[in-house]
Amino acid sequence: MSQAVAVPTPIPVRIPIREILPYAIFAGVLFLVVMYFVGSEQGAVQLFSGTLLHEFVHDGRHLLGFPCH
């Protein structure tokens, strides 16, 4: 014989924007810093001398479409 089983309905979780906003701002700033180092270091603007940073992010530059040669 078959038995009826009650399926619980999911309750949506509310996440206040005030809790997410500091993490979103931090992630955005971190993203911009990383994009600077990948995109323009050893290019027109250079903060660090030498080619170590350029070689470290070289494949990432090509993956993201930045010209470097």
Side-chain angles (χ1 to χ4, degrees), residues 26-41 53:
F26 175 73
V29 169
L30 186 64
F31 174 76
L32 290 175
V33 168
V34 168
M35 286 304 289
Y36 166 76
F37 283 117
V38 171
S40 66
E41 188 62 29
L53 188 60

Side-chain angles (χ1 to χ4, degrees), residues 14-49:
R14 296 176 57 112
I15 302 174
I17 296 296
R18 290 184 184 135
E19 291 182 14
I20 295 176
L21 191 60
Y23 297 106
I25 291 172
F26 175 73
V29 169
L30 186 64
F31 174 76
L32 290 175
V33 168
V34 168
M35 286 304 289
Y36 166 76
F37 283 117
V38 171
S40 66
E41 188 62 29
Q42 301 290 336
V45 178
Q46 179 178 350
L47 288 179
F48 302 103
S49 62

